Amino acid sequence: MSDRLIVIVGFVVMLVVALGVVVVTHVRRDQIAPLGETIAYLTRNQVARIVAVLVWAWVGWHFLVR
């Protein structure tokens, strides 16, 4: 298996997990906060938003650029 294929499979797995989390949060709204609310809570602070963008850029640069 090539490195590129491993990365693609990893991102597909993360997407499936994220979709599963979204489905679970819609089913159990009283127990688990929806993903959108969680992200909104985590990015209320400007520093947290900047860190999130930098982490996303780092992941994109290191794993998606070819």
Side-chain angles (χ1 to χ4, degrees), residues 13-66:
V13 168
M14 288 191 298
L15 177 66
V16 169
V17 169
L19 290 174
V21 168
V22 168
V23 169
V24 169
T25 58
H26 282 290
V27 171
R28 296 183 166 189
R29 277 192 177 269
D30 57 332
Q31 296 175 350
I32 304 171
L35 186 59
E37 288 180 22
T38 304
I39 292 172
Y41 176 78
L42 292 175
T43 58
R44 277 188 199 161
N45 186 348
Q46 184 178 6
V47 174
R49 277 182 280 185
I50 292 170
V51 169
V53 168
L54 291 174
V55 167
W56 188 253
W58 183 87
V59 167
W61 182 258
H62 284 84
F63 297 111
L64 300 177
V65 172
R66 278 215 103 165

